[in-house]
Every structure is written in C-alpha cells, then in structure tokens.
Amino acid sequence: MLVMTAAILTACGDKAEKKPGQALASVNGEEITVMQLNDELGRVNPQAAQQETTRKQLLDALIDRQLLQSEAAKEKLDRDPKVLQAIERAKSTIVAQAYLQKRIGTVARPSKTEVEAYYTQNPNLFANRKQFDMRQLVLATSDVNDDVKKAIDSSKSLDEVAAWLEAHQVKFGRAQLARASTDLPPELNSRLLAMPKGQMFIIREGARSMLIAINEIKDAPLTLEQAAPQIEQFLFNKKNKEAADAAIKQLRSTAKIEYMNQPAGTTPAAPAAATAAAPAAATAAPAADAAAARGVAGLK
C-alpha cells in the first residue's frame, strides 16, 4: 500500500516545483530525474542480474505515469473531490505508517533457536507436509442448481459428473491442481487428509464453483534448512505486528475517543493495527474460507 500511495502522491505533486537530481528524460517539458528512478528501484529492490532491465522498465513506467498525470491535469482531475480525498487518505496513511515505524524501531530478527522451535512445533507444516494432487470441474455458481446437485450426489466420479453436464449442456471446464498442506486452512487440510481417493467436494468462490476430487496424496516434507528462511520471515512479521498492536493499544489507552452518530446499542470494536506484516505463504494458510469446502451431501 505504501508503494501505491507514494506513487499517487508523487504523481500529484506540484508541476511547478523543481525536481531535484540529474534529469534522465523529459516528457513534454517535465523532467524525470535520477532521484525519482532510484526511489522506484529502492522499492522494487531487484537482484543484481536484473538491475539494468528493471531500471529500463521503471524509467518507462515513470514516463507513462508522467504522461497520464499531464493528461489528468488538463482535464482538471487533480481537482476532483474524490481524487483530493484519495490523496489526503494516502498522505494520512504514509504519515501514520512512518510514525508507527519510528515508534516500533528496529525489531530483532528471530534467532536460530526460535526458528528451530517453530519448525519442531509444527510438523504438519514441515516434516509431515503433504501434497494433494486434485482434479476439478469448474462451472458457474449460478449453474449449481438442484438438478446439478442431484447429479453430483448420484455420481461416483468426476467423469460421471462431466458426462451429465455435457448431456445437459451445462458449461464447465476441467483442470488439475496441486496444493501442499501448508497452502490450505487447517480445517480443510484435515478434511482432505480424511477423505478417500476420488471423494468429491465443492468449493464456491463467488461467481464460480469448483467440484474437486483428490487424485493422490503425496509426502512432501520440508527440511529445516529449506523452511528456515520462510519461518524466519514469518516470525519477524509476527513480531512487527505484535509491536504495532501494542503501540496502537497504548495510544488508544491515553486518547479521548468518542464515537458519534452510532446505531443505538452498538459499540464499535477497536481496529487492528494497520501493519503490512503478513505470514510467509509456506508457513501460513491463505485467507480462504475453510467452511466453503463441504461434502457434496452438504449442498442439498
């Protein structure tokens, strides 16, 4: 979010203000400088081998942004109330994040002992990690009507369901996917491990639904050496979030906060700390709805 908001504020700066740094390009008289490019490079932090390629791509992106900014200014979009509100929100967010970072300071990286302890305490994520190879039929959620549910319940395999869908001209697609146990919510992971091969279940994702059957479950362990970088990042993010939560809790405890114009009988809950700390993908399940995965009988 900081990258996006910083880009917004940069794009909406005063055109008359002289930009510091050596010019790299001029777009209709507006300069793009080394300082601007270095700032973008710092946000991306490319590997050494990709430095030059990334530099060229970012310079082109800066040129494109300047072109768009100029056209927006011609149409007075920089004075649009919604745009001004977005700029103010972006500015507020950046300043708040800067203060929070200063307040928290430098959080210590997790020790080797902490990393090893987390690895040992979570065998299902690492030493006993599994991989689920699955087949799926993808169709529109709106097409999952009572007739389709009955056809699914009475079928013994995905192929039987696919044949029924084709015969009744219901559009669908086929796909194969593999998911590690660490990619799934714990509840769904447990259910998949308990399912026999070929058992069908359905997951709804908004406008589409996926009918899935397990094809094979394989052992896919991660050694401590393989998992250590991801565990370290996860624990570091966790420490940052806890520090941010504590800082905001302390500020709220000394502030005078009054809620106004609220519905009768409601008390707003305290918001969570607005931090960018997020678990590494290999050590925490994504925000999927575990309750969405159900046995086919649950569709009735």
Side-chain angles (χ1 to χ4, degrees), residues 205-281:
E205 287 187 351
R208 70 172 187 166
S209 291
M210 295 168 290
L211 181 64
I212 303 174
I214 298 174
N215 191 46
E216 188 176 5
I217 301 177
K218 304 176 182 176
D219 291 329
L222 287 175
T223 65
L224 175 59
E225 183 180 5
Q226 291 172 320
Q230 297 162 330
I231 295 174
E232 181 183 354
Q233 188 61 48
F234 168 70
L235 294 177
F236 180 69
N237 290 343
K238 186 171 180 285
K239 286 185 177 184
N240 269 297
K241 185 180 185 305
E242 289 171 349
D245 288 346
I248 291 180
K249 183 178 180 180
Q250 194 279 327
L251 289 173
R252 292 178 69 90
S253 69
T254 58
K256 182 180 179 181
I257 301 174
E258 298 179 21
Y259 293 102
M260 294 170 285
N261 300 318
Q262 299 294 323
T266 62
T267 302
T275 64

Side-chain angles (χ1 to χ4, degrees), residues 167-183:
H168 291 79
Q169 298 182 340
V170 178
K171 294 182 179 180
F172 68 95
R174 295 178 185 264
Q176 292 185 333
L177 69 158
R179 292 289 185 272
S181 54
T182 46
D183 299 331

Side-chain angles (χ1 to χ4, degrees), residues 43-57:
R43 298 177 191 280
V44 177
N45 193 24
Q47 297 181 355
Q50 300 295 322
Q51 188 86 14
E52 189 59 31
T53 300
T54 303
R55 185 178 181 278
K56 292 177 180 178
Q57 290 174 342

Side-chain angles (χ1 to χ4, degrees), residues 90-204:
K91 179 181 177 181
S92 176
T93 299
I94 291 173
V95 172
Q97 290 277 7
Y99 170 78
L100 190 59
Q101 187 60 52
K102 181 180 179 181
R103 175 75 177 268
I104 293 172
T106 303
V107 176
R109 302 292 300 186
S111 66
K112 184 178 179 181
T113 301
E114 289 176 299
V115 172
E116 291 176 352
Y118 190 85
Y119 178 88
T120 303
Q121 293 164 7
N122 294 274
N124 289 337
L125 296 179
F126 308 111
N128 298 335
R129 180 171 173 264
K130 303 292 184 181
Q131 177 176 306
F132 302 96
D133 291 338
M134 297 174 279
R135 298 167 58 214
Q136 66 178 5
L137 303 180
V138 183
L139 60 160
T141 298
S142 58
D143 287 337
V144 186
N145 54 33
D146 289 340
D147 289 338
V148 170
K149 293 174 187 177
K150 289 178 183 178
I152 293 173
D153 283 339
S154 62
S155 299
K156 296 181 180 179
S157 68
L158 279 185
D159 291 334
E160 285 189 24
V161 176
W164 187 94
L165 294 174
E166 288 175 345
H168 291 79
Q169 298 182 340
V170 178
K171 294 182 179 180
F172 68 95
R174 295 178 185 264
Q176 292 185 333
L177 69 158
R179 292 289 185 272
S181 54
T182 46
D183 299 331
L184 304 171
E187 181 183 344
L188 178 55
N189 183 47
S190 298
R191 291 186 181 187
L192 292 183
L193 286 172
M195 286 182 183
K197 182 178 178 180
Q199 172 69 50
M200 293 183 290
F201 62 98
I202 196 163
I203 292 180
R204 295 189 181 93

